[in-house]
Amino acid sequence: MEPFYQVLTAEFTDNCHTNLHQQTGLLQATTTWQSGGNEAIFSDYFLEGFQITTLTGHLDRPLQLELAVEKPWLAMLYQLDGQIDSKACALRPLRFGQGQHNMMADEAPANFYTFQGQQHTSFSIHLTRELFGQLVTSNEEWLGIHGRQLDQPKPFVMLPEGVAISPQQRTLIQQIINCPYSGSLKKMFLEARFLDLFIEQQTQLRQMRARGTSRDREILHAIRDFLDTNYAAPPSLLALARQFGTNDFKLKKGFRELFGTTVFGYIAERRLTVAHQLLTLTDQPVQEVAEVVGFTNPAHFATAFRRKFGLRPSQVRRAPQRFQTDTLLSSIAA
């Protein structure tokens, strides 16, 4: 039952003391830190495969800590009061605001955290990857969220901005913090509440992901509709993404997954399709058609056109009177 991390900051370690209490299958540690009117209490439970930590404190000034990682971890993080900032947690700057929770993983050997808020309460559960894998593989719905993480473990943050802590989660957290039992019964109670909290979080994350997926699809369809009429002079990928409230990475990845082609591939396809219609139904010169649909290089247009249709642009040219005759015959036949 080794800890997942150790505090390296001398200001903290020189001004704190820790009490250990060994119980059946459970180690409890209470660390109290006091300095210049500030106080913080870390309450830890160490069980097989996971560590439960509650930090409560009165912080007139930010508490900055450097933590050394003892082993790779995944964590369920709940910020009840105050906030936590990290310089590079899971390879990116991160903030946990009041009333939010998230799930993440990190393997950096050390990281810096800043705890703020006169009344500060944060709650976390760190898991081994082995335990996380056992829990996730027991439910197919969770595999849809975490399957890639199991195949290729790497640092991640589940939700960039976090999500609100639900009333059910708050109740479970308070039950853990105020656990009335001792000995083996305490161990079983903590394990049960941990599983309940894990299920609650995964259920909420799955719902958030489903809503996000639906919204993402709506955005991608709107982008495709926009490109159907703005194919000749489309904005850049970055500008297009910003215009529709997404980012270029999600645009590129999502567009290809949904429509089976890249954004630029779709634009090129649309240009050639319209060019074919114009060459067939109008008397516009080939070069003018190429320019109208967005090709600035006639040779490039001719090459792309022949690759798609197997003919040169001039070979599909119809005379205007032929088009008029066909139109008239079609109307008569109808």
Side-chain angles (χ1 to χ4, degrees), residues 3-16 18 31-33 40 42 44 46 51 53 55 63-70 109-113 115:
F4 283 81
Y5 52 83
Q6 296 283 355
V7 178
L8 298 180
T9 306
E11 180 190 0
F12 182 86
T13 57
D14 292 345
N15 294 281
C16 72
T18 301
T31 301
T32 303
W33 169 80
F42 289 81
D44 291 285
F46 300 92
Q51 173 183 338
T53 302
L55 166 60
L63 172 60
Q64 297 181 327
L65 297 180
E66 180 182 5
L67 303 183
V69 175
E70 298 293 313
N111 207 335
F112 294 87
Y113 296 87
F115 302 83

Side-chain angles (χ1 to χ4, degrees), residues 6-306:
Q6 296 283 355
V7 178
L8 298 180
T9 306
E11 180 190 0
F12 182 86
T13 57
D14 292 345
N15 294 281
C16 72
H17 64 273
T18 301
N19 292 322
L20 298 177
H21 182 47
Q22 181 72 55
Q23 302 181 53
T24 305
L26 169 70
L27 176 64
Q28 183 176 354
T30 303
T31 301
T32 303
W33 169 80
Q34 291 179 323
S35 176
N38 280 5
E39 181 180 63
I41 300 175
F42 289 81
S43 299
D44 291 285
Y45 292 114
F46 300 92
L47 297 98
E48 189 64 36
F50 65 99
Q51 173 183 338
I52 301 173
T53 302
T54 304
L55 166 60
T56 56
H58 179 83
L59 304 174
D60 289 326
R61 57 184 174 85
L63 172 60
Q64 297 181 327
L65 297 180
E66 180 182 5
L67 303 183
V69 175
E70 298 293 313
K71 52 188 173 184
W73 52 263
L74 294 97
M76 304 157 59
L77 303 169
Y78 300 82
Q79 193 62 36
L80 302 173
D81 298 294
Q83 70 182 42
I84 299 177
D85 292 282
S86 168
K87 290 184 177 180
C89 196
L91 305 180
R92 52 170 290 176
L94 201 62
R95 167 170 292 185
F96 295 97
Q98 181 171 316
Q100 294 182 328
H101 76 94
N102 214 325
M103 185 169 211
M104 58 177 295
D106 200 3
E107 299 181 1
N111 207 335
F112 294 87
Y113 296 87
T114 301
F115 302 83
Q116 300 183 65
Q118 285 198 332
Q119 299 301 321
H120 187 101
T121 309
S122 56
F123 178 89
S124 64
I125 301 179
H126 288 71
L127 299 77
T128 62
R129 286 196 174 273
E130 291 74 19
L131 177 58
F132 177 73
Q134 293 171 15
L135 294 173
V136 169
T137 54
S138 66
N139 190 314
E140 291 186 3
E141 293 179 338
W142 298 344
L143 282 174
I145 304 174
H146 302 294
R148 185 177 301 177
Q149 182 59 221
L150 295 178
D151 295 335
Q152 297 179 333
K154 60 181 180 180
F156 74 90
V157 177
M158 182 60 66
L159 298 170
E161 302 302 327
V163 64
I165 301 172
S166 69
Q168 296 89 340
Q169 290 170 326
R170 287 185 180 273
T171 297
L172 291 168
I173 291 170
Q174 289 303 320
Q175 289 177 355
I176 291 174
I177 293 174
N178 301 319
C179 176
Y181 305 109
S182 61
S184 58
L185 187 57
K186 184 168 191 173
K187 173 179 177 293
M188 289 187 289
F189 180 86
L190 293 175
E191 289 174 338
R193 296 293 80 77
F194 154 64
L195 291 174
D196 289 339
L197 192 57
F198 187 86
I199 291 170
E200 282 290 332
Q201 186 179 57
Q202 298 312 305
T203 299
Q204 191 177 26
L205 291 176
R206 184 173 60 83
Q207 292 171 346
M208 291 290 295
R209 182 185 178 94
R211 287 197 292 268
T213 300
S214 176
R215 179 177 179 276
D216 290 343
R217 286 179 178 172
E218 291 177 1
I219 290 175
L220 291 170
H221 278 284
I223 290 174
R224 185 186 64 174
D225 292 342
F226 174 83
L227 294 176
D228 281 343
T229 55
N230 294 273
Y231 53 85
S236 67
L237 274 178
L238 184 58
L240 186 62
R242 288 176 176 172
Q243 181 175 339
F244 284 87
T246 184
N247 60 64
D248 56 335
F249 174 78
K250 290 178 68 175
L251 171 56
K252 289 187 289 187
K253 182 174 183 294
F255 198 95
R256 188 181 189 93
E257 290 177 351
L258 187 58
F259 301 117
T261 184
T262 64
V263 173
F264 291 119
Y266 186 82
I267 291 171
E269 186 79 9
R270 181 67 176 155
R271 286 174 172 175
L272 291 171
T273 299
V274 174
H276 189 280
Q277 293 172 344
L278 292 175
L279 290 170
T280 303
L281 304 177
T282 75
D283 60 352
Q284 287 180 273
V286 172
Q287 184 172 343
E288 185 177 317
V289 168
E291 293 174 354
V292 166
V293 299
F295 284 93
T296 57
N297 186 320
H300 181 204
F301 168 64
T303 300
F305 192 93
R306 185 169 186 174

